[in-house]
Amino acid sequence: METLSQHLEYLGLCGDDPKAEDQILESLNRILLALTEDKQRSLSLLRESGIFLTLAKILKGNPRCAVKAAQVLSEIAKNEEMKKPCIEADLVPVLIPLLESTDQEMLLHAGRAIGRICYDNRDLQEELVKVGVTTSLVRILTDYADSEPLVHVDLLALCNLADLDTAKEALSKTNIAEQLVRQLRRAANHERLEIVFEVLQALAENDSLKVQLVEAGVQEVLSEILLRLQGSSQAEDTCILKAASDLIVSLLVGDGNCVRMVQLGVIDQLLDLLEKHVESGDISVQHAALSALRNLAIPVVNKVQVLEEGVAERIQVLLRSEVPPVQLKLLGTLRMLADGQADAAEILGQDPMLLNRLVQWCDANDHTGIHGEANRLLASIMHHNRSQEVVRAIQEAQGVKHLVSMTTSKHAAMQNEALNALAIASAIDLETLEESFKESQLVQSLHKLLQDDNTSPEVKYNSMGLLCSLLNSGDLRQEIEEDKIKETLEQLCSHSNANVVKEAVTTLQVLRGETPH
């Protein structure tokens, strides 16, 4: 420690003397050695010595000793209690220009020092972005892509800044997407993959960067990673698989991206991932993969390919899951698939295992989300289907009563989904449904909706559309007449909503046996 004190004293006196470079380098090396031998006592001496201002002078005015000074600073800044003196000595503004150096060692130590001093300090990080550090980081990643230590420091720095909106905005004006995809492709170990994924996940929150990442081919690399690690049971591989799935979810912005993902065969890999992890019970991977699949199934052009790849059948392996988040995602994915697709609705609507599970979930009043989503999927299957077999299958699974119950939901959207589904089903095969409609008191429920002033005009309109279908059944017509719905319909002829008035007039004509016009 005495020797260290002497070296610190010397640097304090001669640190800015260009003729004393050899002695300065020796003193800086002595500081590094002291930090490895007795860190706490050395840090205490360094704090008392005022070395920080001397280091700033060396960094600014002594090119030959600057690299060693940056190394000393990066070692000192490893310690939390030393960050404040570094900030107070204004060392960050002195270090920033050094990121323009062509000396890789200087870049390494200056980058480390800046990263360590500014870690977890939002104000300093915002300042770094303001003075253009993001451009320097992208340049280093571009020019020194083969230097493992430099790339590591650079990625850590990006990781620290990537959560800032200002950093995302600045990075969107660079070629960062191309460079990160390059690093993702060449990542040789889990640690590197995790850092790159962390940066990508943060940047994917920015719409402009999302598009740039897809244009740079990130989805191809993600696809390769899913394929490479598929089937692995190692915990670290599972983490990477989840990160890849999560990133796919984040990137699915706009139909173009979704379509591109499907063309690349991502669906098949996600399905393999799901089937693998339903056995191992890895919920986080299942959840991420289902979110990705749900988003992929949104564009109409994708639905056909999704169906052709057997998603509807394969995804049902997950039906035995008892984990609410997975159940919820599963239902959302299947509903997205059935939406507007008669083929999908027919496949789903003739699967007894699925229908029985759906009916169970419709009864799950302890979990509102699953209860609601199961009802909506049942309605979607009935609505988009054009087959008598599906209507009969849902009737046999005792799903009709749940659709009738859904007409009285607190949410107008769900009410309309149920009413439209029941109207289509009645048009396809009223005879099969007649008994269920009577048991579940559908006519009485519809009458209440029409009488209630709080019922939305659209729900009233759709309720009358369903009534028109029900009038084709003798028994149900009798119920409608006995419940005196005619009087309610006559009152609705003076409703404030023109569509409600028009539908009330039409329904009255059908009720009287007249031809609607």
Side-chain angles (χ1 to χ4, degrees):
M1 290 299 109
E2 284 179 26
T3 312
L4 177 60
S5 296
Q6 290 165 5
H7 282 286
L8 289 171
E9 194 176 333
Y10 177 79
L11 285 171
L13 293 168
C14 307
D16 54 353
D17 184 354
K19 295 174 185 172
E21 285 178 347
D22 290 340
Q23 183 59 46
I24 292 169
L25 286 170
E26 187 186 331
S27 295
L28 291 171
N29 277 320
R30 183 58 210 164
I31 295 172
L32 289 171
L33 186 61
L35 283 167
T36 59
E37 288 176 349
D38 191 340
K39 187 173 79 171
Q40 287 313 315
R41 287 179 68 195
S42 299
L43 290 174
S44 180
L45 279 172
L46 286 164
R47 248 196 324 269
E48 292 162 10
S49 70
I51 186 69
F52 302 100
L53 293 172
T54 305
L55 288 173
K57 286 177 188 174
I58 296 170
L59 288 168
K60 280 194 272 191
N62 194 330
R64 187 166 163 242
C65 300
V67 173
K68 190 58 69 177
Q71 186 182 359
V72 167
L73 197 48
S74 75
E75 286 303 310
I76 292 172
K78 274 183 181 178
N79 305 278
E80 188 64 36
E81 69 270 24
M82 301 303 281
K83 288 183 185 178
K84 194 177 176 188
C86 290
I87 294 165
E88 288 170 349
D90 268 343
L91 279 165
V92 175
V94 176
L95 286 163
I96 288 169
L98 302 177
L99 294 178
E100 295 306 309
S101 170
T102 54
D103 183 319
Q104 290 192 41
E105 209 178 341
M106 172 59 89
L107 292 172
L108 186 65
H109 297 311
R112 277 183 182 150
I114 293 169
R116 287 165 181 168
I117 295 168
C118 299
Y119 180 73
D120 216 17
N121 185 322
R122 196 175 181 89
D123 291 341
L124 272 179
Q125 289 172 347
E126 289 283 10
E127 199 56 43
L128 291 177
V129 175
K130 203 179 286 183
V131 297
V133 161
T134 47
T135 307
S136 300
L137 292 174
V138 177
R139 181 190 68 80
I140 293 166
L141 206 56
T142 306
D143 293 351
Y144 305 102
D146 297 325
S147 168
E148 286 304 307
L150 257 183
V151 167
H152 183 72
V153 169
D154 201 285
L155 289 171
L156 285 176
L158 285 167
C159 218
N160 290 333
L161 297 175
D163 282 332
L164 304 176
D165 289 339
T166 49
K168 292 187 185 91
E169 191 57 39
L171 286 166
S172 71
K173 297 175 173 65
T174 69
N175 71 334
I176 187 64
E178 187 185 325
Q179 296 309 319
L180 287 173
V181 170
R182 186 180 177 189
Q183 288 301 327
L184 187 65
R185 195 183 294 279
R186 61 182 300 164
N189 55 56
H190 288 87
E191 186 191 4
R192 176 59 52 82
L193 277 170
E194 282 172 20
I195 296 172
V196 178
F197 271 126
E198 201 170 330
V199 178
L200 287 170
Q201 193 66 54
L203 298 188
E205 292 170 10
N206 177 284
D207 287 346
S208 177
L209 284 166
K210 260 181 198 173
V211 174
Q212 289 173 35
L213 285 166
V214 172
E215 285 173 351
V218 72
Q219 62 277 20
E220 281 98 333
V221 189
L222 291 172
S223 188
E224 287 165 16
I225 290 169
L226 287 175
L227 206 55
R228 188 171 76 240
L229 299 183
Q230 194 177 293
S232 170
S233 54
Q234 290 182 34
E236 51 192 9
D237 286 343
T238 301
C239 288
I240 297 302
L241 285 167
K242 183 187 181 306
S245 302
D246 282 343
L247 186 55
I248 289 171
V249 177
S250 300
L251 288 169
L252 295 172
V253 57
D255 286 1
N257 289 2
C258 291
V259 172
R260 184 89 180 100
M261 291 279 197
V262 170
Q263 288 166 348
L264 286 161
V266 171
I267 284 182
D268 215 32
Q269 285 147 33
L270 286 169
L271 286 169
D272 289 342
L273 194 62
L274 276 171
E275 287 179 2
K276 162 77 182 161
H277 288 283
V278 73
E279 298 298 336
S280 67
D282 195 304
I283 294 153
S284 58
V285 175
Q286 292 175 25
H287 204 193
L290 276 167
S291 295
L293 275 172
R294 182 182 184 279
N295 289 355
L296 284 170
I298 291 172
V300 173
V301 69
N302 280 1
K303 291 181 194 282
V304 176
Q305 189 163 348
V306 170
L307 277 171
E308 284 172 356
E309 294 200 23
V311 171
E313 295 93 329
R314 288 181 68 188
I315 212 171
Q316 289 171 47
V317 175
L318 285 170
L319 282 172
R320 59 179 176 271
S321 172
E322 295 299 333
V323 182
V326 172
Q327 293 171 342
L328 203 57
K329 287 286 180 196
L330 170 65
L331 291 166
T333 304
L334 291 173
R335 184 161 67 84
M336 197 53 64
L337 200 52
D339 187 29
Q341 286 295 311
D343 290 349
E346 202 160 323
I347 290 167
L348 297 172
Q350 292 185 74
D351 186 319
M353 180 185 164
L354 171 63
L355 293 177
N356 289 330
R357 197 75 169 105
L358 271 184
V359 169
Q360 281 175 29
W361 280 330
C362 286
D363 284 323
N365 291 318
D366 55 329
H367 198 295
T368 316
I370 290 169
H371 171 79
E373 200 61 51
N375 275 293
R376 295 187 77 187
L377 175 55
L378 200 59
S380 185
I381 291 170
M382 191 77 106
H383 183 172
H384 296 105
N385 144 71
R386 296 291 176 266
S387 153
Q388 271 190 330
E389 284 74 17
V390 171
V391 175
R392 286 171 186 166
I394 291 174
Q395 158 70 17
E396 281 168 26
Q398 300 187 338
V400 175
K401 64 181 180 185
H402 293 292
L403 292 176
V404 173
S405 175
M406 189 176 163
T407 63
T408 60
S409 164
K410 293 182 214 167
H411 307 288
M414 287 180 69
Q415 287 180 289
N416 286 317
E417 286 168 19
L419 291 164
N420 289 328
L422 290 170
I424 285 168
S426 301
I428 293 169
D429 192 350
L430 182 56
E431 192 180 338
T432 295
L433 301 172
E434 196 173 41
E435 207 52 47
S436 285
F437 285 167
K438 288 197 286 190
E439 285 172 14
S440 55
Q441 297 193 307
L442 174 60
V443 169
Q444 290 72 20
S445 294
L446 292 175
H447 194 186
K448 282 176 189 169
L449 288 173
L450 294 174
Q451 288 174 313
D452 189 345
D453 290 339
N454 293 320
T455 303
S456 74
E458 192 181 354
V459 170
K460 285 186 188 287
Y461 179 90
N462 287 328
S463 297
M464 289 185 280
L466 176 53
L467 273 176
C468 287
S469 294
L470 301 185
L471 285 165
N472 290 315
S473 154
D475 287 357
L476 293 172
R477 174 180 277 274
Q478 189 178 338
E479 281 194 15
I480 291 166
E481 288 168 354
E482 286 171 0
D483 213 48
K484 299 183 179 172
I485 291 180
K486 184 180 171 208
E487 293 172 15
T488 305
L489 291 169
E490 286 168 348
Q491 289 168 15
L492 289 173
C493 288
S494 56
H495 194 274
S496 58
N497 183 284
N499 287 330
V500 170
V501 171
K502 189 177 175 185
E503 194 65 14
V505 170
T506 301
T507 310
L508 277 170
Q509 288 171 337
V510 175
L511 183 58
R512 293 175 188 138
E514 300 169 7
T515 305
H517 53 270

